[in-house]
Structures are given as C-alpha cells and as structure tokens.
Amino acid sequence: MASQQFDLLVIGGGITGCGIALDAALRGMKVALIEKSDFASGTSSRSTKLIHGGLRYLKQLEFKLVRDVGSERAVVHRNARHVVIPEKMLLPIVEGGSLGKLPTSLGLLVYDLLAGVKAEERRKMLDRHETYKAEPLLNTNGLLGGGLYFEYRTDDSRLVIELAKSAYANGALLLNYAQSTKFIYDSTGKVTGATVTDHNSGNSFDIRAKVIVNACGPWVDLLRKEDNSLKGKRLQLTKGVHLVFPYEKLPLKQAAYFDVGDGRMIFAIPRDNITYVGTTDTVYNESIDSPNCTKADADYLLKAINHMFPSAGLQLNDIQSTWAGLRPLIHEDGKSASELSRKDEIMVSSSGLISIAGGKLTGYRLMAEKIVDLAEKKLGRKHTPSTTKNYRLSGGEFKDEDDFTNSLKQFLAQGEKLGIAPQVVSRWFYRYGKNVQQLFEIYLSQSKHANATELTETQYGVKHEMVHTLSDFTIRRTGNVFFNYPATKSQLPFIATAITSLLNLPEEAKTQQLSRASSEFEMVVAFKH
Ligand code: FAD
C-alpha cells in the first residue's frame, strides 16, 4: 500500500467503507481501504441485524427513505442470499398503542407498495384471535389484532466481511488494524494521502491517493476535525442496545415489532438458541470506542418486553449477552434522538476530503454508488454505471432460489461423507455460502483432530478473512459470543492457540489475546452477574 498511488483511499471498514471499496473496484479504480480495528468492529456489528425498510419512518413521513431502502431489501437478499434471510414479523395492535388497526393496515400496505414487495410476501392483517394464535406469549390485555409482514434478517458483520472479500477479489487492497492518524496535503491544500499506523507491527507508513473518503461512521467528525473542516453539519450520536436471552426464556414463534408506550417501537427476534431484543435510542456523548449496555438500558428493555410478553417474566440475570452500537446521525436542532432522520449525508471539504455518515446497513449499496459517482467526477473519469445491483457477494454466487436450495443439499451430502454433522454444515452454509467448499478442503487436511470442525473454521478465518484476534473470530466472523456464549466460553483457549500459532505469534500473544477477549466479553455479559 505504501509503494503505490491509489485512485481512492477509503478510511473505515464498516458496511459503508467496504461497500464503497467494492463499487469502486468493480468500476476499475485502484482502491485501498484501511480500518483502525477489525472490519465491522464499529456500528456495523452492533445493529438490530435486519435488512429492513424502516416501517417506523412512515410515521415520520419519510416516504423516499422507505421506498429507497425498502426496495433495496430484495437486492441485498439476492446478492448475499446466504446471510440475508426472509423473516416473518408480527406487529401486534394494542389499545392505546401508537398504531391503530386501520393506520397499521394502510401503513403496511404502503410499505409493501413503496418497497415493491412480491405478492406472496405482502402483509396479512389478523384479528385478535388469529394474533394470539400466532403468538401465544402475547399480553391479551388490550390486544386488538395484528399484522404479519416480511423483513430480512442478516448477520451485519458477516455481510461486511463478504463485501470486503468481494472488493479484494476485484483488486482492492484492504487492511484491518491500520489507523489513519494524519492527513497529507499538497502545496494547494488538497488532501493527497494519509499517514497510517499499523497496530499489528507498530509501524507507520503513508498511503497516497487521488481521492480520499472518510467512511468512519461515529468517528466521521474526528477525521473532519483533523481535516479542519468540522463546520456546518455535525454528527449527533445516539446509542442503541440489544439484550440476548436463551430461547427457552422467550420462546417466540416469530419475530415481533411492538410499541413500547413512549412513542418508540422495539424488535424481539428469535434466532437459533436465543431471542434478542432491541433497541434503545438515547443521545450519546461518551467514549466512541466503548459504548456498552447500562443497567438503565437493560431495565428499559426488560420493562417493555415483560409488558408485551408478561408470562416470560424476564429478569436481569436471564440476560445471556448484550451489545451496544452508536448511530452516526446528523444533528438537527430541537429533535429528539428517535426523531433524527436516518438519511445519509455526504460532506465535501475544501481540501477535497469526502465524508459520508448516517444511513442504514440496508442502503449501503446506494450510498456507495453516490460516493463512487462523486469520486469519478473528482478523478475526471468518464462515468461508468455502478454494477453492484447484480453483483453476487463472496459466498452468495447463487443463480436463483433453486441453486440456493440445491447447494445446501449438496453440501449436506458432501459433509455427511466427510463425517461432519449436518448442523455444522448448515451453520457454515448460512455463514460462508458457497465458500463452504473451501472449508471442506481445509477439513480434509485435519479430519483426525479432536476439534476438527472448530479448527477448520478458525483456519478459514485466519487464511481468508483476516482474523487476527480471538474477538475477531468469536464476535465478528461467527457471532458466537453474542449468540452462543455458554458454548463459546469453553473453546476460547483452544481457538486462541489455533489463531496465534497460525499467525506465528509468540506464546505471550495467546495470553494477551485471552485476557483482552475476557475483558471485552465481560462487557458483553455484564448483566450475568
Ligand atoms: P461503522 O460500522 O461504525 O464503521 C466505521 C469504521 O471506521 C469503524 O469500523 C471504525 O473502527 C473505523 N475507523 C474510525 N476511525 C478510523 C481511522 N482513523 N482510521 C481507520 N479506520 C477508522 N441499519 C439497518 O439497515 N438495519 C438495522 O437493523 C439497523 N439497526 C441498527 C441498530 C442500532 C442499535 C444501530 C446503532 C444502528 C442500526 N442500523 C441499522 C444502522 C447501521 O448499523 C449503520 O448505519 C451502519 O452500520 C453504519 O456503518 P458505517 O460503516 O458507516 O460505520
């Protein structure tokens, strides 16, 4: 990276930065991307993990946002089929709630129409009895009915990784644990590069590029300040937390989206062995690097969930893990956290630095298209239309639904021959898609090992997904800490040994990784105690 001149340097390896890197690489630009920590370690691993149009933005009359983001759902689903799964949602309608029966029915209809939803996935309205049948844990007090509609569930950090791998496959160079610390300017004041610290080696080097994009999410304004261009629009960070419960503590039949009573709505989403609940939306002015879930956040969500599903009787010590993320929103005078628009915003400084913030996971591709169009202009290149709309991400190279279903069947059959349990093959398939073939090849070389499947996945992570630490693997490549903490805990020493030996790190690196991970996980499970 230090020895070349790039067309585009992207700073920030969340969904926004990785989306931009892919679009630009596909249009033939020479691209570098740096990420100060791990890919997706910022907001992009801490969302509600939905590819959704944002039903609640209809209440705020943000029709264009709902249409743009809503219709993107099908695109993201098609291009990353293995990590974007249709999810049926139940919207209960209750007496005194912010959504009446008729407005909900109309709202969901408008939502479907704006987003161009397929006929079989259109909303279905339910009466009181049908709603209760759909979800027997619901509070029947004041229950009037409900609506069933479709969204998509994803694993946000896996989506980012698949994007990063796709960008790399198309010629972009990407580096995690590399932080931009200072901008470099030419004699006219134009930004021409950045000085970067490689946290793995401790070395610093310069990267030169004709166009530089600041895609640092909640950190966007820190870089604008560094560029002396923090004027006009500014970020307003708001925090959102999620709580994870063992599935048997909140055994919902499908995901639910419901009123909290203060004008806000929250999700409860069952997934494998857990159900997670979120989110909150509070103004945040503390450390950007370490947002976490406070007892007040947990109490707020517990109260809401126990009101909607009283028989669950959830308590603080039922919480298995938590995560907290920061929304990089644009400040608007006089508006509360949840009233701030989720629209994205592009800011170009007099030095030429392009900054992008706001937006949604779901709309990443449209944001990337706008940024790369702008970069093309700055580079003085002829316009080439973005091709990401029909570009299948790494692992998601399925022709159609039949190919998807048949691929899973074939992998299960292949796995059986190799002696890999079907649950493991299926889990791998929904993580790595068609790349499961590469995991099988790694497995063949160590099938005799007592922990062969765990070793295979760890090796795949180190060799193909730039895993450097225990947290990279257990939080962002697999989600195991959030979704399967009890089982993951016992495997940590083994995984740390595998990672450090694959990376040829000294023995003390293993101890360091274990202690760093244990303090990170302590934050994640703070309410266990
Ligand atoms: P980030 O993911 O934060 O990435 C920025 C990156 O820049 C970070 O990884 C950081 O380490 C890096 N960085 C910072 N400074 C430097 C530097 N100096 N050098 C190098 N790298 C640097 N959207 C949806 O579509 N669906 C949802 O369900 C959803 N739920 C959400 C729930 C919550 C609680 C929150 C907070 C957001 C949610 N969103 C959702 C919104 C979505 O998650 C964000 O819009 C998106 O993840 C922002 O991505 P980003 O890449 O812009 O920022």
Coordinates of all heavy atoms in Angstrom, one line a residue, residues 11-17 34-38 40-44 46-52 178-180 215-219 223 238 240-242 279 325-328 358-362, ligand 1:
I11 N -11.3 5.3 4.2 CA -10.9 5.1 5.6 C -12.1 4.7 6.4 O -13.2 5.3 6.4 CB -10.4 6.5 6.2 CG1 -9.2 7.0 5.3 CG2 -9.9 6.3 7.7 CD1 -8.7 8.4 5.8
G12 N -12.1 3.5 7.0 CA -13.2 2.9 7.7 C -13.7 1.6 7.1 O -14.1 1.6 5.9
G13 N -13.6 0.5 7.8 CA -14.0 -0.8 7.3 C -15.3 -1.3 7.8 O -15.4 -2.4 8.2
G14 N -16.3 -0.4 7.9 CA -17.7 -0.9 8.2 C -18.4 -1.1 6.9 O -17.8 -1.2 5.8
I15 N -19.7 -1.2 7.0 CA -20.5 -1.6 5.8 C -20.4 -0.4 4.8 O -20.3 -0.7 3.6 CB -22.0 -1.8 6.2 CG1 -22.8 -2.3 5.0 CG2 -22.7 -0.5 6.6 CD1 -23.0 -3.8 5.0
T16 N -20.3 0.8 5.2 CA -20.2 1.9 4.3 C -18.9 1.9 3.5 O -18.9 1.9 2.3 CB -20.4 3.3 5.0 OG1 -21.5 3.2 5.9 CG2 -20.5 4.5 4.1
G17 N -17.8 1.8 4.2 CA -16.5 1.8 3.6 C -16.3 0.6 2.7 O -15.8 0.7 1.5
I34 N -8.5 1.2 4.7 CA -7.9 0.9 6.0 C -8.9 0.9 7.1 O -9.9 1.7 7.0 CB -6.7 1.8 6.3 CG1 -7.1 3.3 6.0 CG2 -5.5 1.5 5.6 CD1 -6.2 4.3 6.6
E35 N -8.8 0.1 8.1 CA -9.7 0.0 9.2 C -8.9 0.0 10.5 O -8.0 -0.8 10.6 CB -10.5 -1.3 9.1 CG -11.2 -1.8 10.3 CD -12.1 -0.7 11.0 OE1 -13.0 -0.1 10.3 OE2 -11.9 -0.5 12.2
K36 N -9.2 0.9 11.4 CA -8.3 1.0 12.6 C -8.3 -0.1 13.6 O -7.4 -0.4 14.3 CB -8.6 2.3 13.3 CG -9.8 2.3 14.3 CD -10.0 3.6 15.0 CE -11.3 3.8 15.7 NZ -11.3 3.2 17.0
S37 N -9.4 -0.9 13.5 CA -9.5 -2.0 14.4 C -9.8 -3.2 13.5 O -9.1 -3.5 12.6 CB -10.7 -1.7 15.4 OG -10.9 -2.8 16.3
D38 N -10.9 -4.0 13.8 CA -11.2 -5.0 12.9 C -12.4 -4.6 12.0 O -13.1 -3.7 12.3 CB -11.7 -6.3 13.7 CG -12.0 -7.5 12.8 OD1 -11.4 -7.6 11.7 OD2 -12.8 -8.3 13.2
A40 N -15.8 -4.1 10.5 CA -17.2 -4.2 11.2 C -17.1 -4.1 12.7 O -18.1 -4.4 13.4 CB -17.9 -5.5 10.8
S41 N -16.0 -3.6 13.3 CA -15.9 -3.5 14.7 C -16.7 -2.3 15.3 O -17.0 -2.3 16.5 CB -14.5 -3.5 15.2 OG -13.8 -2.4 14.6
G42 N -17.1 -1.4 14.4 CA -17.9 -0.2 14.9 C -19.3 -0.6 14.9 O -19.8 -1.7 15.3
T43 N -20.1 0.4 14.4 CA -21.6 0.2 14.4 C -22.0 -1.1 13.6 O -23.0 -1.7 13.9 CB -22.3 1.4 13.8 OG1 -21.8 2.6 14.6 CG2 -23.8 1.3 13.9
S44 N -21.2 -1.4 12.6 CA -21.7 -2.5 11.7 C -21.7 -3.9 12.2 O -22.0 -4.8 11.5 CB -20.9 -2.4 10.4 OG -21.0 -1.2 9.7
R46 N -23.1 -4.0 15.4 CA -23.9 -3.8 16.6 C -25.3 -3.3 16.3 O -26.0 -2.6 17.1 CB -23.2 -2.7 17.5 CG -21.8 -3.1 17.9 CD -20.9 -1.9 18.0 NE -19.6 -2.2 18.4 CZ -19.1 -2.3 19.6 NH1 -20.0 -2.0 20.6 NH2 -17.9 -2.5 19.9
S47 N -25.8 -3.7 15.1 CA -27.1 -3.2 14.7 C -28.2 -4.2 15.1 O -27.9 -5.2 15.8 CB -27.2 -3.0 13.2 OG -27.2 -4.3 12.6
T48 N -29.4 -4.0 14.7 CA -30.5 -4.9 15.0 C -30.4 -6.1 14.0 O -31.1 -7.1 14.2 CB -31.9 -4.2 14.9 OG1 -31.9 -3.1 15.7 CG2 -33.0 -5.1 15.4
K49 N -29.5 -6.0 13.1 CA -29.2 -7.1 12.2 C -30.4 -7.4 11.3 O -30.8 -8.6 11.0 CB -28.7 -8.4 12.9 CG -27.5 -8.0 13.8 CD -27.0 -9.2 14.5 CE -26.0 -8.8 15.7 NZ -24.8 -8.1 15.3
L50 N -31.1 -6.3 10.8 CA -32.2 -6.5 9.9 C -31.9 -5.8 8.6 O -31.4 -4.7 8.7 CB -33.5 -5.9 10.5 CG -34.1 -6.7 11.7 CD1 -35.3 -5.9 12.2 CD2 -34.6 -8.1 11.2
I51 N -32.3 -6.4 7.5 CA -32.3 -5.7 6.3 C -33.7 -5.2 6.1 O -34.6 -6.0 5.8 CB -31.8 -6.6 5.1 CG1 -30.4 -7.0 5.3 CG2 -32.0 -5.9 3.7 CD1 -29.4 -5.8 5.4
H52 N -34.0 -4.0 6.5 CA -35.4 -3.6 6.6 C -35.6 -2.2 6.0 O -34.7 -1.4 5.9 CB -36.0 -3.7 8.0 CG -35.4 -2.7 9.0 ND1 -36.1 -2.1 10.0 CD2 -34.1 -2.2 9.1 CE1 -35.3 -1.3 10.7 NE2 -34.1 -1.3 10.2
A178 N -5.3 -0.9 10.9 CA -4.4 0.1 10.3 C -5.2 1.4 10.4 O -6.3 1.6 9.8 CB -4.1 -0.2 8.9
Q179 N -4.7 2.3 11.2 CA -5.4 3.6 11.6 C -4.9 4.8 10.9 O -3.6 5.0 10.9 CB -5.4 3.8 13.1 CG -6.1 5.0 13.5 CD -6.4 5.0 15.0 OE1 -5.9 4.1 15.8 NE2 -7.1 6.0 15.5
S180 N -5.7 5.6 10.3 CA -5.3 6.8 9.7 C -5.1 7.8 10.9 O -6.0 8.0 11.7 CB -6.3 7.3 8.7 OG -6.6 8.6 8.9
A215 N -15.2 7.2 5.7 CA -16.4 6.4 6.0 C -16.3 5.9 7.4 O -16.4 4.7 7.6 CB -16.5 5.3 5.0
C216 N -16.0 6.8 8.4 CA -15.7 6.3 9.7 C -16.9 6.3 10.7 O -16.7 6.3 11.9 CB -14.6 7.2 10.3 SG -13.0 6.8 9.5
G217 N -18.1 6.3 10.1 CA -19.3 6.1 11.0 C -19.3 7.1 12.1 O -19.1 8.3 11.9
P218 N -19.4 6.6 13.4 CA -19.4 7.5 14.5 C -18.2 8.4 14.7 O -18.2 9.4 15.4 CB -19.6 6.6 15.7 CG -20.1 5.3 15.2 CD -19.6 5.2 13.8
W219 N -17.1 8.0 14.0 CA -15.8 8.7 14.1 C -15.6 9.7 13.0 O -14.6 10.4 12.9 CB -14.6 7.7 14.1 CG -14.5 6.8 15.2 CD1 -13.7 6.9 16.3 CD2 -15.1 5.5 15.4 NE1 -13.8 5.8 17.1 CE2 -14.7 5.0 16.6 CE3 -16.0 4.8 14.6 CZ2 -15.1 3.7 17.0 CZ3 -16.5 3.5 15.0 CH2 -16.0 3.0 16.2
L223 N -12.3 12.8 12.1 CA -11.5 13.0 10.9 C -11.7 14.3 10.2 O -10.8 14.9 9.7 CB -11.7 11.8 9.9 CG -10.8 10.6 10.3 CD1 -11.4 9.8 11.3 CD2 -10.4 9.8 9.0
T238 N -26.4 8.6 18.7 CA -27.3 8.0 19.6 C -27.0 6.5 19.8 O -26.5 5.9 18.9 CB -28.8 8.2 19.1 OG1 -29.1 7.2 18.2 CG2 -29.1 9.6 18.6
G240 N -27.8 2.6 20.8 CA -28.9 1.6 20.8 C -28.4 0.3 21.4 O -27.3 -0.2 21.0
V241 N -29.1 -0.3 22.3 CA -28.6 -1.6 22.9 C -29.5 -2.8 22.6 O -30.7 -2.5 22.3 CB -28.4 -1.5 24.4 CG1 -27.6 -0.3 24.8 CG2 -29.7 -1.6 25.2
H242 N -29.0 -4.0 22.6 CA -29.7 -5.2 22.5 C -29.4 -6.1 23.6 O -28.3 -6.2 24.1 CB -29.4 -5.9 21.1 CG -29.9 -5.1 20.0 ND1 -29.2 -4.0 19.4 CD2 -31.0 -5.2 19.2 CE1 -29.9 -3.5 18.4 NE2 -31.0 -4.2 18.3
T279 N -34.4 -2.0 20.0 CA -33.3 -1.4 20.6 C -33.7 -0.1 21.4 O -34.9 0.2 21.3 CB -32.2 -1.1 19.5 OG1 -31.1 -0.4 20.1 CG2 -32.8 -0.2 18.4
G325 N -24.5 -0.2 20.2 CA -24.0 0.4 19.0 C -24.3 1.9 18.9 O -25.3 2.4 19.6
L326 N -23.6 2.7 18.1 CA -23.8 4.1 18.0 C -24.3 4.5 16.6 O -23.6 4.1 15.6 CB -22.5 4.9 18.3 CG -21.9 4.7 19.7 CD1 -20.6 5.4 19.9 CD2 -22.9 5.1 20.8
R327 N -25.4 5.2 16.5 CA -25.9 5.6 15.2 C -25.2 6.9 14.9 O -25.3 7.9 15.6 CB -27.4 5.9 15.2 CG -28.2 4.7 15.6 CD -29.7 5.0 15.7 NE -30.4 3.9 16.2 CZ -30.6 3.6 17.4 NH1 -30.0 4.3 18.4 NH2 -31.2 2.5 17.8
P328 N -24.5 7.0 13.7 CA -23.9 8.3 13.3 C -24.9 9.1 12.6 O -24.9 9.2 11.4 CB -22.7 7.8 12.4 CG -23.1 6.5 11.9 CD -24.2 5.9 12.8
G358 N -24.5 8.7 8.5 CA -25.9 8.5 8.5 C -26.2 7.2 7.8 O -25.4 6.4 7.6
G359 N -27.5 7.1 7.3 CA -27.8 5.9 6.5 C -28.1 4.7 7.3 O -28.1 4.7 8.5
K360 N -28.3 3.6 6.6 CA -28.6 2.3 7.2 C -27.7 1.2 6.6 O -27.3 1.4 5.5 CB -30.1 1.9 6.8 CG -31.1 2.9 7.2 CD -31.6 2.9 8.6 CE -32.2 1.6 9.0 NZ -32.3 1.4 10.4
L361 N -27.6 0.1 7.3 CA -27.0 -1.0 6.8 C -27.6 -1.4 5.4 O -26.9 -1.6 4.4 CB -27.3 -2.2 7.7 CG -26.4 -3.4 8.0 CD1 -25.1 -3.0 8.5 CD2 -27.1 -4.3 9.0
T362 N -28.9 -1.4 5.4 CA -29.7 -1.8 4.2 C -29.4 -1.0 3.0 O -29.4 -1.5 1.9 CB -31.2 -1.7 4.6 OG1 -31.4 -2.3 5.9 CG2 -32.1 -2.4 3.6
Ligands
FAD1 P1 -19.1 1.8 11.2 O1 -19.6 0.4 11.1 O2 -19.0 2.3 12.6 O3 -17.7 1.8 10.5 C1 -16.8 2.9 10.7 C2 -15.4 2.3 10.8 O4 -14.4 3.3 10.8 C3 -15.2 1.6 12.2 O5 -15.0 0.2 12.0 C4 -14.0 2.3 12.8 O6 -13.2 1.4 13.5 C5 -13.3 2.8 11.6 N1 -12.5 4.0 11.9 C6 -12.8 5.0 12.7 N2 -11.7 5.9 12.7 C7 -10.7 5.4 11.9 C8 -9.5 5.8 11.5 N3 -8.9 6.9 11.9 N4 -8.7 5.0 10.6 C9 -9.3 3.8 10.1 N5 -10.5 3.4 10.5 C10 -11.2 4.2 11.3 N6 -29.4 -0.5 9.9 C11 -30.1 -1.4 9.2 O7 -30.2 -1.3 8.0 N7 -30.8 -2.3 9.8 C12 -30.8 -2.4 11.2 O8 -31.4 -3.4 11.8 C13 -30.1 -1.5 11.9 N8 -30.1 -1.5 13.3 C14 -29.4 -0.6 14.0 C15 -29.4 -0.7 15.4 C16 -28.5 0.1 16.1 C17 -28.5 0.0 17.6 C18 -27.6 1.0 15.5 C19 -26.7 1.8 16.3 C20 -27.7 1.1 14.1 C21 -28.5 0.3 13.3 N9 -28.6 0.4 11.9 C22 -29.3 -0.5 11.2 C23 -27.7 1.4 11.2 C24 -26.4 0.7 10.7 O9 -25.9 -0.2 11.6 C25 -25.4 1.8 10.4 O10 -25.9 2.8 9.6 C26 -24.1 1.2 9.8 O11 -23.7 0.1 10.4 C27 -23.0 2.3 9.8 O12 -21.9 1.8 9.2 P2 -20.6 2.6 8.9 O13 -19.7 1.8 8.0 O14 -21.0 3.9 8.4 O15 -20.0 2.8 10.3

